[in-house]
Amino acid sequence: MQKLFKQLGLLVTGLALSVTPSLASTTGELLELMDDSGITIVLDGPRCEDGIDGAYQWTGIARRMVICTNGEAIDANDHNTVRHETIHALQHCKNSILERPSNTPMLEPNQVIEYAEEVLTPGQIKSILSQYPEDVWLIELEAFAGAEVLTAADLMDLFNEMCLAEA
């Protein structure tokens, strides 16, 4: 447990050094909410060797969020990754509550497409569709688009409403 808080502390400290204080504190608060809710936060874990920016993983009730900085200074991409992976946590929470498949987005499929087309560039959409298997396109489009629009504070509110209110 001590190691987790050390990693979280390093991540929050890194965020505070690299961005405005309000953004750093809200991203740090979001990570603390995830951790307090039982989602293990992993900074630069073994999964990062795959060249990813982050991951949200679960096995049964064990959940973890991996943030990959590759040992570099925390930047805007890392904040975006935290938001993106939090959206996957929200998707997981909603799908668990509603007993739906894990690759079901929060929005209706047509809404996800419209949302992605409004927020992401055609190049970003093409990149997402080429990098991920077709069965996860909708949840990835939703997470990428949401990470561009929703703030850490927005996501904390959604997490409290969708995931903790049911607990």
Side-chain angles (χ1 to χ4, degrees):
M1 190 62 91
Q2 180 106 357
K3 183 178 179 183
L4 172 65
F5 287 112
K6 183 178 179 185
Q7 289 176 335
L8 182 60
L10 289 174
L11 184 57
V12 173
T13 301
L15 295 173
L17 295 175
S18 62
V19 295
T20 63
S22 62
L23 181 60
S25 69
T26 56
T27 300
E29 289 172 22
L30 177 58
L31 287 169
E32 287 179 34
L33 176 62
M34 298 293 104
D35 181 61
D36 290 346
S37 301
I39 298 173
T40 301
I41 308 298
V42 178
L43 181 61
D44 292 323
R47 181 83 197 275
C48 296
E49 294 170 10
D50 296 338
I52 62 173
D53 288 335
Y56 175 77
Q57 305 165 309
W58 71 93
T59 304
I61 62 168
R63 302 166 294 158
R64 71 186 207 156
M65 181 183 296
V66 179
I67 306 299
C68 304
T69 67
N70 301 314
E72 298 176 9
I74 305 296
D75 60 17
N77 184 61
D78 297 315
H79 291 274
N80 185 288
T81 299
V82 170
R83 293 189 307 274
H84 176 101
E85 300 308 338
T86 298
I87 292 167
H88 285 316
L90 287 164
Q91 292 165 335
H92 178 236
C93 178
K94 184 171 184 179
N95 290 333
S96 295
I97 290 168
L98 298 176
E99 299 181 352
R100 301 187 311 192
S102 63
N103 63 346
T104 306
M106 294 179 287
L107 299 172
E108 293 299 320
N110 63 321
Q111 292 174 312
V112 172
I113 301 296
E114 289 173 19
Y115 184 44
E117 288 175 344
E118 287 176 17
V119 174
L120 303 171
T121 67
Q124 287 173 307
I125 293 172
K126 183 177 179 181
S127 176
I128 293 163
L129 300 183
S130 70
Q131 290 178 40
Y132 293 93
E134 186 174 353
D135 67 322
V136 297
W137 283 355
L138 290 173
I139 62 171
E140 289 300 335
L141 287 168
E142 185 174 61
F144 276 100
E148 293 294 327
V149 174
L150 299 170
T151 67
D154 294 333
L155 292 169
M156 285 186 288
D157 290 342
L158 285 169
F159 191 84
N160 282 320
E161 178 185 316
M162 293 173 57
C163 300
L164 301 181
E166 297 291 329

